[in-house]
């Protein structure tokens, strides 16, 4: 488990104090893929560099795997960092070294014997899908392959925590998905705790279990990804959710539906988690003497489950429609909103 209490980082700039991380307190469970999202300048990259003391905290306490990182001296910190891997946006590879030599570098620093080093490097090359590219140099690799080298290097010393600072920001969408799938695979196979720093909500959606939203150096909202997606509270969170869920588009769609479908009652149904797999519409049609017309719908998947929106036109006697709406309201993980009722 990672425990962070009152973490603060203040930089001096032209005799002015700039607070990059401000009284941040957070608990991250062991084995979690935990996302931290924020716009540029929110303090998220400074935060992740504080975790392994690439940046020194101004104040606060960081405990990783029962070891207080903020209390270690230089020698102790060097040893502790072997248990904290890190991958970067721009790969940070050694361009004069081959793939296998880049991966071996932290093992050399740790004093691992040559034969053991070679065996570990080959394990990691196989794990990240770079078999056959052992002798290639970074200049001969694609962006995705370079990041795979960076991931393998970060895993060399069997860390318990992997820090990812904008690890997919320099990659195209297809390569991004491949790298995210690799991180999920690593998390499941090795039981690593992964902290993922990003400004891209689709990255959070795809692989994170929990998310914290940063603004002006503070955590302004956090929780289960599905909960944050379906019920964002802070304005900055709503903007991020809007990127992936198309909230503005949905508002336009509602206006168009009201204009184009003049008869009956229009319902907006929201399905959360397991409810996206239920045959609710079929059940309603069987139970009640009403006519249903599905107008529009979509399902967005997150690591924690699906989130779906469905627009339905309902026609029939008002009493029967009211009974159907009541039935929907009784369902777990389904929310219903009457967006127009002309009966």
């Amino acid at each position: 488990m990672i425990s962070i209490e009152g973490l603060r980082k203040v930089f001096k700039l032209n005799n002015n104090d700039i607070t990059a991380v401000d009284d941040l307190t957070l608990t991250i469970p062991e084995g979690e893929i935990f996302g931290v999202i924020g716009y540029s300048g929110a303090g998220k990259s400074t935060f992740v560099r504080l975790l392994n003391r690439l940046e020194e905290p101004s104040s606060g306490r960081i405990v990783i795997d029962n070891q207080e990182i903020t209390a270690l001296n230089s020698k102790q910190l060097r040893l502790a960092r072997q248990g904290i891997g890190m991958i970067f946006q721009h790969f940070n590879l050694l361009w004069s070294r081959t793939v296998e030599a880049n991966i071996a570098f932290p093992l050399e620093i740790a004093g691992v014997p040559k034969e053991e080093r070679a065996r570990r490097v080959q394990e990691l090359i196989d794990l990240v899908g770079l078999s056959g590219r052992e002798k290639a140099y970074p200049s001969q690799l694609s962006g995705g392959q370079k990041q795979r080298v960076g991931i393998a290097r970060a895993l060399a010393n069997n860390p318990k925590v992997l820090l990812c600072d904008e690890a997919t920001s320099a990659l195209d969408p297809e390569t991004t998905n491949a790298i995210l799938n690799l991180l999920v695979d690593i998390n499941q196979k090795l039981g690593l705790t992964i902290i993922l720093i990003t400004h891209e909500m689709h990255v959070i959606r795809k692989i994170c279990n929990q998310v914290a939203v940063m603004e002006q150096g503070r955590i302004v909202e956090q929780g289960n990804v599905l909960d944050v997606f379906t019920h964002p509270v802070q304005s900055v969170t709503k903007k991020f959710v809007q990127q992936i869920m198309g909230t503005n588009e949905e508002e336009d769609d509602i206006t168009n539906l009201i204009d184009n479908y003049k008869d009956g009652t229009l319902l907006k149904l929201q399905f959360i988690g397991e409810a996206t797999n239920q045959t609710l519409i079929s059940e309603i049609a069987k139970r009640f003497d009403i006519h249903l017309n599905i107008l529009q719908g979509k399902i967005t998947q997150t690591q924690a489950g699906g989130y779906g929106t469905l627009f339905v036109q309902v026609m029939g006697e008002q009493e029967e429609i009211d009974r159907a709406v009541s039935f929907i309201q009784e369902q777990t993980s389904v929310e219903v909103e009457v967006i127009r009722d002309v009966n």
Side-chain angles (χ1 to χ4, degrees), residues 2 6 37 50 124 129 180 185 203 209 213 245 263 266 315 323-324:
I2 299 172
I37 191 168
L50 290 170
L124 291 165
L180 294 177
D185 186 53
V203 171
N209 309 113
V213 183
M245 302 303 293
D263 299 326
L266 296 185
M315 289 173 287
R323 288 181 61 226

Side-chain angles (χ1 to χ4, degrees), residues 8-21 58:
R8 197 163 185 262
K9 178 63 180 180
V10 180
F11 292 99
K12 284 283 187 181
L13 182 63
N14 298 326
N15 294 320
N16 294 319
D17 287 345
I18 306 296
T19 303
V21 174
S58 300

Side-chain angles (χ1 to χ4, degrees), residues 220-237:
V220 296
E221 191 165 351
Q222 78 175 91
N224 176 280
V225 169
L226 196 54
D227 292 339
V228 171
F229 264 64
T230 53
H231 300 102
V233 176
Q234 301 297 323
S235 59
V236 64
T237 312

Side-chain angles (χ1 to χ4, degrees), residues 15-156:
N15 294 320
N16 294 319
D17 287 345
I18 306 296
T19 303
V21 174
D22 190 6
D23 194 26
L24 191 151
T25 296
L26 195 62
T27 298
I28 300 173
E30 183 178 355
E32 193 84 47
I33 302 181
F34 193 98
V36 179
I37 191 168
Y39 289 111
S40 296
K44 57 190 186 298
S45 288
T46 301
F47 161 66
V48 79
R49 291 169 66 86
L50 290 170
L51 293 181
N52 58 6
R53 283 177 57 186
L54 288 177
E55 294 284 356
E56 285 294 331
S58 300
S59 60
R61 186 169 177 263
I62 301 168
V63 177
I64 299 177
D65 194 31
N66 297 318
Q67 186 174 42
E68 187 175 347
I69 301 299
T70 40
L72 302 180
N73 60 35
S74 297
K75 182 178 179 180
Q76 292 169 330
L77 181 59
R78 283 195 296 272
L79 290 173
R81 280 177 176 158
Q82 292 181 15
I84 308 171
M86 188 165 185
I87 57 177
F88 305 87
Q89 178 180 359
H90 297 296
F91 320 125
N92 289 12
L93 302 181
L94 299 171
W95 293 85
S96 61
R97 283 178 167 242
T98 63
V99 166
E100 59 186 4
N102 263 284
I103 298 170
F105 185 62
L107 297 169
E108 294 172 17
I109 294 174
V112 175
K114 187 175 181 179
E115 287 187 7
E116 183 180 342
R117 197 162 68 222
R119 184 168 58 252
R120 178 62 178 158
V121 167
Q122 191 56 54
E123 287 176 359
L124 291 165
I125 285 173
D126 293 340
L127 177 66
V128 301
L130 285 174
S131 299
R133 304 296 285 162
E134 292 88 345
K135 304 299 182 183
Y137 287 89
S139 61
Q140 299 170 311
L141 301 176
S142 67
Q145 289 172 330
K146 290 172 189 173
Q147 195 57 283
R148 289 173 186 269
V149 177
I151 292 170
R153 181 184 59 186
L155 297 176

